[in-house]
């Protein structure tokens, strides 16, 4: 089963509209997107979505993601953004369940599950993040944590909808720390997540679903990680803020596939 790798830049709370425009100009000047045999996604802050859409106008090779969405349709939810609003910006993907949303903003598995279903109603493709903390790993709870997050996050999600979901395995201890999971640790976790999908949806769905790795991915470790059989791309934070570094990760990572 060959799965098309997907490289996504999660800019987190970085880059307003003008920096977004600068990034896109620089990135597009360096690359012929049709030569990259992978999906490339950029997730800017909400306020930069319009500028990203505009700056990419004729470049269909880059897809747009939001970093969050509301689980509600509309109404009295101050500060929230609905999936239909995101569709207006030609948004394709939405990152859901990121460990920063879980830890800092208190998002539970149930909220994440509601958001995944809401995203699918609007035909947005969730990038569904899961991952354990260092304490959970050291206590021997890696598999329990991942099983709980996967089972609860995908509760009631149809096999058809699963086909439009990407999973991102992001060990919390590797995010923004410069400590990357070794390729053995990452491969082991990815293979386990794929087995969880097989338990829930069967072997065909498990073989098809793309599972990205995230956590201190850099140009110099992308090749080794992406060479692992169950790793299908990367979700990149800090190293995707610079166009050359994002591109080097994509190039090094796809050469390894
Ligand atoms: P870093 O690449 O900065 O470690 O962030 C990873 C991440 O959280 C992507 O969603």
């Amino acid at each position: 089963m060959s799965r098309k790798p997907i490289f996504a830049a999660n800019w987190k709370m970085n880059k307003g509209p003008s920096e977004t425009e600068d990034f896109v100009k620089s990135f597009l000047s360096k690359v012929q997107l049709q030569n990259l045999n992978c999906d490339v996604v950029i997730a800017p802050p909400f306020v930069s979505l319009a500028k990203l859409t505009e700056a990419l106008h004729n470049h269909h090779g880059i897809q747009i993601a939001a970093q969050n969405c509301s689980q509600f349709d509309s109404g009295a939810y101050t500060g929230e953004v609905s999936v239909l609003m995101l569709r207006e910006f030609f948004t394709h993907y939405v990152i859901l369940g990121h460990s920063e949303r879980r830890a800092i903003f208190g998002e539970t598995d149930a909220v994440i599950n509601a958001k995944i279903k809401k995203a699918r109603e609007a035909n947005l493709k969730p990038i569904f993040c899961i991952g354990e903390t260092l304490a959970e790993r050291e206590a021997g709870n890696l598999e329990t944590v991942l099983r709980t997050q996967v089972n609860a996050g995908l509760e009631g999600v149809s096999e058809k909808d699963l086909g439009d979901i990407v999973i991102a395995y992001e060990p919390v201890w590797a995010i923004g720390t410069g400590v990357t999971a070794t390729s053995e640790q990452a491969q082991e976790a990815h293979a386990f997540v794929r087995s969880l999908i097989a338990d829930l949806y069967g072997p065909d769905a498990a073989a098809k679903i793309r599972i990205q790795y995230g956590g201190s991915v850099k140009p110099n470790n992308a090749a080794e990680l992406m060479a692992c059989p169950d790793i299908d791309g990367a979700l990149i934070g800090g190293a995707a803020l610079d166009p050359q570094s994002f591109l080097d990760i994509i190039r090094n990572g796809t050469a390894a596939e």
Side-chain angles (χ1 to χ4, degrees), residues 48-67:
S48 300
L49 282 168
K51 184 54 81 179
L52 185 61
T53 306
E54 182 193 314
L56 290 175
H57 60 289
N58 279 327
H59 293 275
H60 302 298
I62 298 181
Q63 295 177 295
I64 298 173
Q67 296 177 15

Side-chain angles (χ1 to χ4, degrees), residues 1-33:
M1 164 64 58
S2 77
R3 294 175 294 265
K4 194 175 188 189
I6 171 167
F7 291 83
N10 175 9
W11 284 351
K12 308 189 179 184
M13 201 171 72
N14 296 289
K15 297 194 192 293
S18 57
E19 284 180 280
T20 295
E21 187 171 25
D22 293 346
F23 179 101
V24 172
K25 273 192 193 146
S26 168
F27 189 78
L28 293 178
S29 73
K30 296 174 192 297
V31 63
Q32 292 287 74
L33 289 167

